[in-house]
Amino acid sequence: MKKIKKSKKTDTLEITIKDYKIISYSRDSTYLDTTLNIHKEYKYNYLRRDDFELMPFANVGQPYNHLGLNLDRSTLYPTIGSKARHFNYYEVEDISYYNVATPLTDLFFKTTFEQGQLLDAMLTFNTSRRFNLSIGYKGFRSLGKYQWSQVKSGNFKSTANYVTKNGRYRLRAHWTSQEIEGEENGGISNKELQFESKDPDFKDRSRIDVFFTDAQNILIGKRYFLEHQYRLLKNETDSVSSKSNYLGFGHTFTYESKSYKFQQDAENEFFGDALVSPIGDRANLKTMYNEINAEFSNRTLGVLKASVNLYNYNYFFNSTITTNEGFIPNRLKGEEIAIGAKYKKQIGGFMLHGGIAYNISGELTGNIIDAAASFQINEKNKISASLHSSSRLPDFNFLLYQSDYENYNWYNTQNFEKERLSSLQFNLESQVWGNISAKYTTTDNYTYFTSLANDEQAEANLENAYIKPFQEANSVNYLKVKYFKEFRFGDWALSNTFMYQNVTQDNEVLNLPTFVTRNTLYFTKHVFKKAMFLQTGITFKYFSSYNMDAYNPLLAEFYTQNREELGAFPLLDFFINAKVRTARIYLKAEHFNSSFSGNTFYAAPDYPYRDFVIRFGLVWNFFY
């Protein structure tokens, strides 16, 4: 705990950890947490979030396959696509803002796989209690165990958060510059003889043959974001900080340029015939978003916000193409106008909130409706329910794509309908019974990538040569039930997370495992006269076999395949973590059962999961 003097004539003012606030995009505030618990262990990874519903590839920074999904839409408009390269990309909603009493540094370090490290560093400080700034950089490089699988990235971000002394004017802004680059080898080409056979000659994974060693894809993005508001008070006696009565007018501005590139030194039959060689594909998207809003708050009526926004987009390639299927333009460009409203109200133990957004002009017309209610039964139990409905065109790379490979050129704006989605979710958060959520989602015109390879190409593992986007004509229904509960026995604890999923569909277009579980048995205790807090245990993870999605490196997308079931193998990790003051130290033996559980552990067809490896690192907060 720190102390600072207010003035020579006043008493000292205590500063606690709660004076270091982290504010999310949705304006939810939490304070810095320097404790060590099992949830921190689950988040100590490349993404810095719990990856229970994800299956990582062998190298850090490579794509993640999905073990579970959330199909709800957060925005009205399509994205550039290439989603497999976006796991570590900071979107607007991923940026946090700060309000700190003194400067604060957050350092995250973790070893990678051969010739590289991962470092995520952030410094936040203020010129006054009302004006806070932050600057952060996340950079890493990892060579990887397999041929041509190096990944590296740099994510820079800076933020500003300002509130005037009277609280009427509020501003927050950020700037990001990001580049994520990965070498792509297409997977291992002779998995039966070189991987699954356990041949000791290929224990060194760099000796295993891969499909190619001359390709890479790169995602580059820059963004400028500004959000500010001026509040008019109802009268002079109103409390500025209570938010009970005010009328505010605001403006939000976002400009982002993003490009996705796939490069290959020479044509390869893995993707079919090429129009030119070497390969140099590049998709570009530039967007600008302007919103004007008015917000009214009343202690009786609640908070109501109405808005109108203008969205400009320009998705383009460098040239037009004429194929046997027709003319393919090089650009989708337009302007969208939408209106929206949000509402929230606290009524006793009930919290109600909802929102609606509707496009009134433009080619990408769509809508989103969200509503939620929660009730705090008592200090230990809370229930909530939410519904979501949306209608939107699929991502731009489904609508238009151009490549130097002949099979990867299409134009579907006239063929594809808007995806329509509805979901209903219930949650119970209980310190007694555990946390359980149940969500039912139904979607029409579900859009996906799949393979059109013939039998000869499928046998040669060349399905990538015929990847195309499709829309499912029939409804797809998806049920997900997730449960978390921890049992404690003195210094021992057993943490359990279970997930059950069921997909009802006429055709197998959405494939997910029926059952996923993660169970951690661990021990915690203060040692060395309470100078250190120790945490050690074993984590078991398992998911049932299913037709796991395959990965296409040219598009940086996963696609549906129904020729190979994967999964049903255990993943065991042993960890020893410790906390000394504000430093948390992590040591983990990942997948230590790999040598005796059989070489059938895949993250996607032809892409093995990682072998046994020991990694270490730390998270350290400095206060000034």
Side-chain angles (χ1 to χ4, degrees):
M1 186 173 293
K2 292 174 170 279
K3 293 185 178 182
I4 60 174
K5 288 190 176 181
K6 297 173 67 176
S7 71
K8 294 181 179 179
K9 296 182 179 180
T10 59
D11 296 330
T12 59
L13 174 67
E14 290 185 336
I15 296 177
T16 69
I17 198 69
K18 294 185 179 181
D19 292 303
Y20 296 86
K21 296 178 182 178
I22 304 171
I23 306 166
S24 70
Y25 171 76
S26 58
R27 297 193 178 276
D28 295 325
S29 295
T30 59
Y31 60 85
L32 181 69
D33 184 3
T34 60
T35 62
L36 179 63
N37 54 48
I38 193 60
H39 299 288
K40 295 290 185 67
E41 159 63 22
Y42 294 152
K43 294 179 181 179
Y44 187 69
N45 54 50
Y46 170 65
L47 300 178
R48 301 198 70 176
R49 64 176 185 264
D50 192 343
D51 59 359
F52 172 72
E53 297 187 19
L54 298 174
M55 183 63 192
F57 279 29
N59 197 12
V60 178
Q62 287 187 305
Y64 290 75
N65 214 334
H66 287 281
L67 302 179
L69 284 174
N70 177 18
L71 298 175
D72 290 359
R73 305 288 195 184
S74 59
T75 64
L76 276 173
Y77 308 111
T79 69
I80 194 173
S82 306
K83 292 189 288 293
R85 270 283 163 249
H86 276 77
F87 285 99
N88 188 48
Y89 188 88
Y90 295 136
E91 302 289 355
V92 171
E93 298 80 10
D94 299 323
I95 302 297
S96 296
Y97 305 85
Y98 299 88
N99 188 336
V100 296
T102 63
L104 167 69
T105 300
D106 180 81
L107 292 178
F108 173 102
F109 169 81
K110 193 172 186 179
T111 56
T112 57
F113 296 90
E114 304 288 342
Q115 302 180 23
Q117 292 86 30
L118 167 61
L119 176 66
D120 187 0
M122 185 278 299
L123 169 65
T124 180
F125 54 94
N126 55 31
T127 60
S128 69
R129 290 300 298 265
R130 299 183 302 278
F131 187 33
N132 289 257
L133 302 168
S134 77
I135 184 170
Y137 183 79
K138 182 178 182 180
F140 96 102
R141 175 180 177 270
S142 181
L143 183 64
K145 299 290 186 179
Y146 292 84
Q147 292 187 65
W148 203 256
S149 60
Q150 177 179 260
V151 187
K152 56 185 178 180
S153 71
N155 304 70
F156 175 83
K157 59 182 178 180
S158 61
T159 71
N161 184 28
Y162 174 68
V163 180
T164 57
K165 188 174 182 178
N166 62 10
R168 291 193 178 191
Y169 181 72
R170 300 159 183 263
L171 175 148
R172 59 180 182 174
H174 74 249
W175 172 55
T176 61
S177 179
Q178 307 178 70
E179 182 171 346
I180 304 169
E181 178 181 338
E183 294 178 342
E184 297 287 1
N185 58 30
I188 57 178
S189 59
N190 196 350
K191 59 186 179 183
E192 291 84 3
L193 294 178
Q194 297 182 353
F195 179 70
E196 295 179 3
S197 65
K198 291 188 175 183
D199 189 331
D201 291 339
F202 297 100
K203 189 175 182 180
D204 179 359
R205 300 308 193 192
S206 64
R207 303 181 65 180
I208 293 180
D209 294 330
V210 295
F211 280 105
F212 43 81
T213 58
D214 61 350
Q216 62 180 352
N217 54 30
I218 307 170
L219 176 67
I220 301 173
K222 292 184 179 180
R223 181 174 61 246
Y224 305 90
F225 172 85
L226 170 67
E227 181 183 73
H228 54 140
Q229 182 191 63
Y230 185 79
R231 293 183 175 180
L232 304 175
L233 297 183
K234 182 179 179 181
N235 55 56
E236 295 297 330
T237 61
D238 282 342
S239 170
V240 173
S241 60
S242 68
K243 300 183 181 180
S244 57
N245 293 281
Y246 66 83
L247 174 64
F249 295 94
H251 169 240
T252 302
F253 169 81
T254 306
Y255 175 80
E256 185 169 25
S257 62
K258 189 183 290 187
S259 67
Y260 169 74
K261 297 188 289 186
F262 176 81
Q263 301 169 339
Q264 194 169 21
D265 293 344
E267 168 186 357
N268 193 296
E269 64 174 353
F270 188 85
F271 298 111
D273 296 330
L275 301 174
V276 296
S277 184
I279 308 300
D281 300 345
R282 177 166 181 163
N284 305 277
L285 176 63
K286 294 184 178 181
T287 61
M288 185 168 63
Y289 177 88
N290 274 286
E291 176 189 298
I292 298 175
N293 58 70
E295 186 174 78
F296 174 73
S297 176
N298 180 271
R299 62 170 57 93
T300 303
L301 300 177
V303 180
L304 175 64
K305 182 178 181 180
S307 63
V308 57
N309 69 70
L310 175 66
Y311 178 78
N312 299 91
Y313 65 93
N314 185 10
Y315 173 73
F316 63 94
F317 297 85
N318 289 332
S319 60
T320 60
I321 295 178
T322 301
T323 68
N324 294 332
E325 298 179 357
F327 176 74
I328 298 179
N330 69 322
R331 191 180 304 271
L332 296 176
K333 184 178 181 180
E335 187 174 87
E336 308 287 313
I337 300 176
I339 56 176
K342 294 182 179 179
Y343 176 78
K344 67 178 179 179
K345 169 66 177 173
Q346 180 83 39
I347 307 175
F350 283 95
M351 171 59 80
L352 306 175
H353 56 89
I356 182 171
Y358 184 80
N359 247 65
I360 59 176
S361 174
E363 298 296 325
L364 306 178
T365 53
N367 61 77
I368 296 178
I369 300 174
D370 287 298
S374 63
F375 178 68
Q376 191 74 44
I377 301 173
N378 50 47
E379 293 183 356
K380 295 185 177 181
N381 298 281
K382 178 182 178 180
I383 58 173
S384 61
S386 62
L387 63 87
H388 171 89
S389 176
S390 62
S391 175
R392 200 195 78 177
L393 282 173
D395 289 334
F396 283 117
N397 65 341
F398 285 96
L399 303 176
L400 170 66
Y401 201 78
Q402 287 189 13
S403 171
D404 291 336
Y405 279 107
E406 184 177 348
N407 293 319
Y408 288 82
N409 294 277
W410 52 75
Y411 179 50
N412 294 316
T413 56
Q414 303 299 319
N415 304 326
F416 279 9
E417 302 291 335
K418 290 183 290 185
E419 294 180 293
R420 296 187 296 272
L421 184 145
S422 300
S423 67
L424 180 63
Q425 180 171 346
F426 295 95
N427 301 288
L428 169 65
E429 301 174 33
S430 173
Q431 298 180 23
V432 179
W433 305 106
N435 300 339
I436 185 170
S437 66
K439 186 172 187 177
Y440 184 79
T441 303
T442 180
T443 178
D444 294 316
N445 299 322
Y446 177 72
T447 312
Y448 62 100
F449 288 102
T450 193
S451 169
L452 293 179
N454 57 38
D455 293 338
E456 181 181 346
Q457 289 165 328
E459 290 177 3
N461 290 325
L462 294 179
E463 287 201 26
N464 285 277
Y466 287 84
I467 299 301
K468 295 287 186 182
F470 284 88
Q471 277 195 324
E472 172 62 15
N474 303 305
S475 296
V476 177
N477 303 304
Y478 170 38
L479 172 67
K480 178 168 72 172
V481 180
K482 192 173 180 180
Y483 178 71
F484 171 82
K485 173 63 177 174
E486 182 173 274
F487 301 94
R488 301 200 66 88
F489 317 95
D491 294 330
W492 290 88
L494 178 63
S495 175
N496 306 284
T497 307
F498 304 96
M499 184 169 67
Y500 168 79
Q501 300 177 112
N502 181 266
V503 181
T504 305
Q505 53 192 336
D506 292 335
N507 302 299
E508 295 185 1
V509 298
L510 178 61
N511 296 326
L512 293 167
T514 302
F515 180 73
V516 184
T517 182
R518 180 181 63 195
N519 313 92
T520 303
L521 177 65
Y522 66 102
F523 172 84
T524 57
K525 191 176 182 64
H526 283 94
V527 295
F528 304 125
K529 297 182 180 180
K530 296 189 176 181
M532 175 186 289
F533 181 73
L534 180 69
Q535 178 190 73
T536 182
I538 295 178
T539 295
F540 167 82
K541 186 173 182 179
Y542 178 88
F543 57 92
S544 56
S545 63
Y546 72 109
N547 291 323
M548 185 179 286
D549 285 350
Y551 173 62
N552 181 278
L554 187 150
L555 297 172
E557 293 276 8
F558 285 92
Y559 65 92
T560 300
Q561 63 85 26
N562 293 302
R563 64 184 175 89
E564 185 176 5
E565 279 199 4
L566 298 171
F569 53 83
L571 302 173
L572 290 171
D573 300 334
F574 172 74
F575 61 89
I576 301 176
N577 304 329
K579 178 179 181 292
V580 181
R581 296 178 65 86
T582 60
R584 282 85 75 201
I585 304 165
Y586 297 84
L587 175 67
K588 179 183 285 189
E590 299 184 19
H591 199 195
F592 68 81
N593 62 311
S594 63
S595 61
F596 53 84
S597 60
N599 284 2
T600 57
F601 45 88
Y602 288 93
D606 303 327
Y607 286 89
Y609 178 59
R610 61 193 57 152
D611 294 289
F612 165 60
V613 65
I614 297 177
R615 301 172 66 196
F616 66 90
L618 58 84
V619 177
W620 202 343
N621 295 115
F622 296 93
F623 300 87
Y624 303 94

